[in-house]
Each structure stands twice: as structure tokens, then as C-alpha cells.
Amino acid sequence: DAMVIQNPRYQVTQFGKPVTLSCSQTLNHNVMYWYQQKSSQAPKLLFHYYDKDFNNEADTPDNFQSRRPNTSFCFLDIRSPGLGDAAMYLCATSRDPGQRGLPRSGETQYFGPGTRLLVL
Amino acid sequence: DQQVKQNSPSLSVQEGRISILNCDYTNSMFDYFLWYKKYPAEGPTFLISISSIKDKNEDGRFTVFLNKSAKHLSLHIVPSQPGDSAVYFCAAREYGNKLVFGAGTILRVKS
């Protein structure tokens, strides 16, 4: 089955110790997204890749970086995690709606199961 | 500043009855509205969407209504089933395919 995979499902790190979360997809979608979701809050977009083009949200802290070495993989790097970075991190993918004009039903995003990050 | 709001954190409904989940938004530039459903330990999955040029979209037991003048949309599930128990996220699409999410509503369907 085509899908979005996130590893690990749970990640524990220490305050200030760099951590990397990974996402892979078999959907061959050219757009990939990273969201941060804190408890009882809305998923918040951190950044997204449009093919190799990186698009950062204006309010995403510099502490968060991303890499996309190829179509299938995307990584979220947190350079110096703080206690406030503990959250669920969701990866999502989509096709590019612009390449085919207006989508019929709203081009949807496909989500992975998320990685829950705990910072000690 | 939240552009998409789901003001009810939770909703409890009896099996067979109608579930109505509500969502309000502030940005009139949103062109699509989507509902996602999330079970524990899984990522959100797409449920149903509606274009801003329509006022209703139906898919089986699920219907989404859009009131543009009120900047309000709602998801109706009828009849509700225990398997519908999940977190429901309302989302609105900005330019490109960027989505702005609400905080979610936990739906519990009691049998």
C-alpha cells in the first residue's frame, strides 16, 4: 500500500541535544510538509518542500531545519531542542495542484502517523 | 491568531443519531475546506471537502455545509456509528496547497 511512514514513532531526547525525525513516502508526491502539533492544539505548519524548493513558514524558529535528499525522504532536524519543542510531529505529502490546474475536490494531504517527541 | 476555530473540544452522541461538528474561519481567501479524521496512534486521514463556491457536499453518511457569509462550516454525520469516534479536524486551504487547521473536536459515539 502506498503510504507515508514516520520513524521513530516515539523519540526521547535531552534538552539541547540535536535530534532528527524522518519521513518517507511511497506515493511519489512532489510536495512534503512538516507540522508540529502540541496537545489539544491545531497542527501547525513548520515548512514544506515543493520538489527541492524549501518553503519556511515565517514563524518557524531557526532551531528547526529540514532536508529532502530525494523525492521519497524528508528529515526534520531540531538543532537544540527545548522543553517547549515536545510535541507530535506530523509529516504529510501531496501532489502539486498547480501542475494540473484547479483540483476537482481540493488537493488533499496524506499524513504519516506522527512522531511524538519528548524532551527531558 | 487562529484563522480556523473549532470551538467545541468534544461532542458525545448516541449511536444512530446525527453528529454535527462546527468550524469557523476568518480568512475570506480560503478556497477549499476539508475535514480530516484522526484515530489514536494514526495520522489524520482525509474525509470530505467542499469548494468555497459550493454550499453543500455529500458523501454517504457525511455532509459538509458551508455558509460563506457567516464564515462557518459544519460536518454532519448521520447516522452516527461507534466507529466514527475519533478526533475531527477542520482545515482550510490557502494558496498552493497550504492547509490551516483547527484544534479538533473529539467525537464520541455511544452505543
Side-chain angles (χ1 to χ4, degrees), chain B residues 18 45 53 60 83 96:
Chain B
I18 185 171
T45 56
I53 61 173

Side-chain angles (χ1 to χ4, degrees), chain A residues 19 28 50 52 62 67 69 73 79 81-83 87 92 96-97 107 115 119-120:
Chain A
V19 65
N28 204 32
Y50 201 103
K52 287 191 175 291
D62 293 340
R67 295 169 284 135
F73 285 88
R79 292 191 296 188
L83 298 178
D96 167 21
E107 197 65 39
T115 294
V119 181
L120 301 177

Side-chain angles (χ1 to χ4, degrees), chain A residues 9 33 35 37 40-43 45 57 94 97 103-109 111-113, chain B residues 2 31-32 34 36 38 41-44 46 49-50 89 93 96-99 101-103:
Chain A
R9 296 293 305 275
Y33 311 79
Y35 291 85
Q37 185 187 15
S40 301
Q41 295 184 23
L45 183 65
E57 292 302 297
S94 73
R104 293 185 303 278
S105 62
E107 197 65 39
T108 191
Q109 295 182 13
F111 285 82
Chain B
Q2 282 184 283
D31 67 345
Y32 262 97
L34 304 91
Y36 279 79
K38 184 183 182 304
E42 296 182 12
F46 170 72
S49 66
I50 187 167
F89 290 98
R93 195 178 77 164
N97 197 28
K98 289 176 61 173
L99 296 181
F101 283 86

Side-chain angles (χ1 to χ4, degrees), chain A residues 37-75:
Chain A
Q37 185 187 15
K38 296 186 177 179
S39 182
S40 301
Q41 295 184 23
K44 179 180 177 299
L45 183 65
L46 296 173
F47 25 61
H48 71 281
Y49 272 94
Y50 201 103
D51 293 317
K52 287 191 175 291
D53 292 333
F54 178 70
N55 299 271
N56 200 28
E57 292 302 297
D59 56 355
T60 297
D62 293 340
N63 198 25
F64 291 86
Q65 305 285 321
S66 186
R67 295 169 284 135
R68 189 178 185 188
N70 53 53
T71 300
S72 300
F73 285 88
C74 194
F75 300 99

